[in-house]
Amino acid sequence: MNKKTIITLILAIVAAISTRAIDAKHFYSGTAVLKGRILNKPADEWNVLKVQTRNMFANEDEVITIPVAYDGSFEANIHLLHSRSIYIVDIGQVFLAVGDTLELTKDAAQEEYKGFTFAGNNTSAVINRLWPELSKHYYGEEGLFIKGLEREKMPAWKKSVVKKLDAVIADIEADRLPLPANTTDFEKEVLGASLLSEPLMAMMENYRLNITGGNYSKMNIAEFGEYYDFVKDRAKWLLDNPAMLFIVPGADTFIGRVWIYMMLDVSFAPHKAGESRFDYNQRVLQIIQKRYGLKNVDFMQQMVLSIEVFSKIEIDEDITPDDVAENFAAMIPFVSNPVVAHHALQRYRQYVKKHELKIVEQKPLTKADSIFQRIIEPYKGYGLFVHFWGMYCGPCRVEMQKEREKVEQSQGKPVRFLYICDEKESPREYSEEWMTENNIKGEHIYITHDEWNLLSAKFQFAGPPFATGVDKDGKIVPVSEINKYLE
């Protein structure tokens, strides 16, 4: 039996499991309506809303923009992978259920996460109204994470965090969360999972910022077992809980942190000579289970396996359809959760459609296309390295400094380096001062906040750093293809 036949059989089996097992509409893809009004809207700002989500089964950003009318009104259909929290730039994190219409009002004069209200009594509106006070009830106004916490104080802090987590678990089990009597079971599930996520998120943030300072090279996987020793007895609430897909603070961040700060082995454990991908997965999962005292391949491990398969597509330019098929086939035997199976299969089908069936959808030109054409038009006939960056983005600035020699070597060659930033988030004077001090050459391009939002939707990146290439004919290509113009 050849590999294509094997893959076909696997897909058929998974498809059958997925269709039968997922009986809750909130786990399925669907559409919701987001509408409302921006109050105190400046004439030249808030013309576009940017909505960011991430397909956490594939670790891929999904970005759309919504036009805002002159009177501040807006309305759009939002495609959802499942009921979930979405991030609206300049407004904040908002829960949106499949099939709902969520109406919100935002005061543009107030900062992000303030000055917005929700109308109506559907599931989305109820969850968004109840969450802030519920979180404050258990975790206080400031939350659990303490920036700059010293190591010697961490054991006591950890003990207090776990104590609060246990109080939430006890209240969920006893059905005594302080919620209105008419709160539905699904609303309780979303709000309960949101509460459960906060303590583990605080622990991961503490490790990320206070222990490693955000530097991956300082991570010590060997200490994860002791650091997260409280997880073992609470795994069904924290790691084997599909409701974490719905959490109001954002499943994108939560699951991404679990991947990096608890289960990084899946991506970076060394391969043994002659080891198949299946054997590698099995060995690494056993390491993770032993570390945290887990009894099986739980929901979060399955999520991380799916992330690993599809994130390779984005970061490895040399990966082939056969490689992806092999990685997918090596993942499926470990996936028992129908939700993960369903969405992983959908993502694989999209990949096959794009890369093997060679289907190219013709799309009409958009406002974002026109903005990008305006930016690159002066450099027609050159190969372009196009970088989207910001002063608030540490990795952006590091990469720009590393690239200085490459920029110098491009002198006299048909290549240009374009550094594009959002002038609202990275003011021109401040940015130019840093670039001058650090000898950052190339083309410095500033665009408005609305233009930035439109371009991030066009290229599907939530935030910087992001880079793409444009060849001499104006075609968007991978950055690696521009290197040929440097030869």
Side-chain angles (χ1 to χ4, degrees):
M1 190 180 295
N2 62 36
K3 185 165 69 176
K4 285 191 175 181
T5 303
I6 294 172
I7 294 297
T8 301
L9 289 174
I10 290 172
L11 293 178
I13 292 169
V14 176
I17 292 172
S18 303
T19 304
R20 288 197 306 268
I22 300 181
D23 55 2
K25 73 172 185 177
H26 296 289
F27 287 113
Y28 282 113
S29 299
T31 302
V33 177
L34 181 65
K35 61 185 293 187
R37 187 176 300 277
I38 306 299
L39 304 179
N40 298 314
K41 175 188 175 301
D44 57 346
E45 296 180 31
W46 289 86
N47 297 311
V48 175
L49 294 180
K50 182 169 79 167
V51 177
Q52 295 176 189
T53 63
R54 176 170 287 188
N55 177 349
M56 282 313 304
F57 299 90
N59 198 38
E60 295 172 336
D61 289 330
E62 299 176 346
V63 184
I64 67 166
T65 53
I66 303 172
V68 180
Y70 70 94
D71 64 352
S73 63
F74 61 88
E75 181 172 347
N77 292 329
I78 307 293
H79 176 265
L80 299 171
L81 199 63
H82 48 78
S83 296
R84 60 173 305 154
S85 179
I86 63 174
Y87 175 59
I88 310 174
V89 175
D90 300 319
I91 294 180
Q93 209 78 33
V94 173
F95 180 82
L96 195 54
V98 168
D100 271 0
T101 294
L102 179 62
E103 186 170 355
L104 68 86
T105 301
K106 164 68 179 178
D107 184 351
Q110 295 198 46
E111 62 190 65
E112 192 173 59
Y113 287 101
K114 294 183 179 179
F116 59 95
T117 57
F118 303 93
N121 291 300
N122 61 23
T123 294
S124 299
V126 168
I127 288 173
N128 284 305
R129 278 199 296 268
L130 291 176
W131 170 246
E133 289 303 316
L134 187 64
S135 176
K136 191 186 303 181
H137 173 83
Y138 285 96
Y139 303 132
E141 188 80 43
E142 301 300 321
L144 296 172
F145 174 67
I146 301 174
K147 189 174 182 180
L149 184 68
E150 294 119 356
R151 268 193 179 263
E152 59 269 21
K153 295 181 180 179
M154 288 181 190
W157 172 78
K158 175 182 171 181
K159 186 177 180 179
S160 70
V161 169
V162 173
K163 184 177 179 180
K164 291 177 180 179
L165 169 61
D166 286 341
V168 169
I169 291 173
D171 285 355
I172 291 174
E173 287 185 311
D175 193 20
R176 61 175 181 237
L177 293 177
L179 297 170
N182 62 348
T183 306
T184 68
D185 288 343
F186 178 70
E187 291 161 2
K188 290 178 182 178
E189 185 176 28
V190 173
L191 293 166
S194 299
L195 287 171
L196 292 168
S197 73
E198 292 282 82
L200 183 54
M201 188 66 191
M203 288 293 296
M204 293 187 289
E205 283 296 277
N206 180 68
Y207 191 89
R208 184 175 78 93
L209 296 177
N210 292 336
I211 296 179
T212 69
N215 186 340
Y216 290 161
S217 67
K218 293 183 180 180
M219 289 174 57
N220 181 6
I221 293 178
E223 66 184 6
F224 281 8
E226 181 179 357
Y227 184 77
Y228 297 110
D229 58 5
F230 64 94
V231 168
K232 177 181 178 180
D233 296 328
R234 302 163 182 85
K236 76 170 185 176
W237 300 100
L238 301 175
L239 300 181
D240 204 14
N241 186 356
M244 288 299 182
L245 291 172
F246 307 133
I247 60 175
V248 183
D252 307 1
T253 303
F254 180 78
I255 296 173
R257 293 282 191 268
V258 169
W259 173 33
I260 298 299
Y261 292 99
M262 292 186 72
M263 302 182 182
L264 194 62
D265 318 65
V266 170
S267 301
F268 294 106
H271 286 261
K272 294 183 177 180
E275 187 176 42
S276 70
R277 185 70 205 189
F278 174 88
D279 290 339
Y280 172 86
N281 287 343
Q282 186 174 53
R283 177 172 60 85
V284 170
L285 291 173
Q286 288 171 351
I287 292 172
I288 291 171
Q289 290 160 29
K290 182 178 180 180
R291 177 189 302 143
Y292 301 119
L294 308 176
K295 296 179 180 179
N296 52 34
V297 183
D298 59 31
F299 176 77
M300 209 58 69
Q301 291 173 69
Q302 294 174 43
M303 285 292 303
V304 169
L305 281 177
S306 182
I307 290 171
E308 172 61 13
V309 168
F310 296 110
S311 62
K312 283 183 178 294
I313 296 172
E314 301 302 317
I315 63 177
D316 186 352
E317 295 180 356
D318 297 324
I319 198 166
T320 68
D322 281 349
D323 293 331
V324 176
E326 183 177 347
N327 291 339
F328 186 78
M331 172 195 74
I332 285 299
F334 301 100
V335 177
S336 59
N337 185 281
V339 177
V340 180
H342 173 80
H343 288 290
L345 173 63
Q346 295 304 313
R347 180 62 185 89
Y348 183 71
R349 283 175 169 165
Q350 292 170 8
Y351 176 82
V352 171
K353 178 181 176 182
K354 180 177 179 180
H355 293 273
E356 292 193 339
L357 301 182
K358 306 297 183 183
I359 295 177
V360 178
E361 297 181 7
Q362 296 296 325
K363 298 181 179 180
L365 291 177
T366 65
K367 188 173 182 179
D369 295 325
S370 299
I371 293 168
F372 193 64
Q373 285 302 314
R374 186 196 75 213
I375 291 171
I376 66 174
E377 181 64 28
Y379 312 102
K380 192 173 183 179
Y382 289 90
L384 305 179
F385 291 94
V386 182
H387 296 272
F388 291 85
W389 75 289
M391 282 298 294
Y392 53 89
C393 171
C396 298
R397 288 183 280 117
V398 169
E399 186 60 32
M400 290 165 73
Q401 289 170 320
K402 287 181 179 179
E403 206 168 53
R404 285 178 296 198
E405 185 177 347
K406 194 174 182 180
V407 175
E408 289 291 339
Q409 292 173 350
S410 71
Q411 297 300 315
K413 296 179 180 179
V415 174
R416 290 291 183 271
F417 290 77
L418 276 56
Y419 298 107
I420 303 173
C421 70
D422 176 351
E423 190 163 9
K424 178 182 177 182
E425 301 294 340
S426 301
R428 186 184 300 253
E429 184 178 353
Y430 177 40
S431 302
E432 287 296 333
E433 180 182 354
W434 177 82
M435 287 191 284
T436 299
E437 289 176 356
N438 289 275
N439 195 31
I440 305 297
K441 301 294 179 62
E443 312 298 321
H444 305 170
I445 297 171
Y446 297 87
I447 58 178
T448 68
H449 190 53
D450 286 342
E451 289 173 335
W452 176 273
N453 288 341
L454 288 165
L455 289 179
S456 66
K458 171 181 172 60
F459 290 107
Q460 289 297 292
F461 67 89
F466 175 80
T468 189
V470 178
D471 68 14
K472 289 183 178 181
D473 298 319
K475 181 182 177 182
I476 296 171
V477 297
V479 170
S480 59
E481 291 194 21
I482 305 302
N483 287 324
K484 63 186 177 184
Y485 300 125
L486 292 172
E487 298 173 355

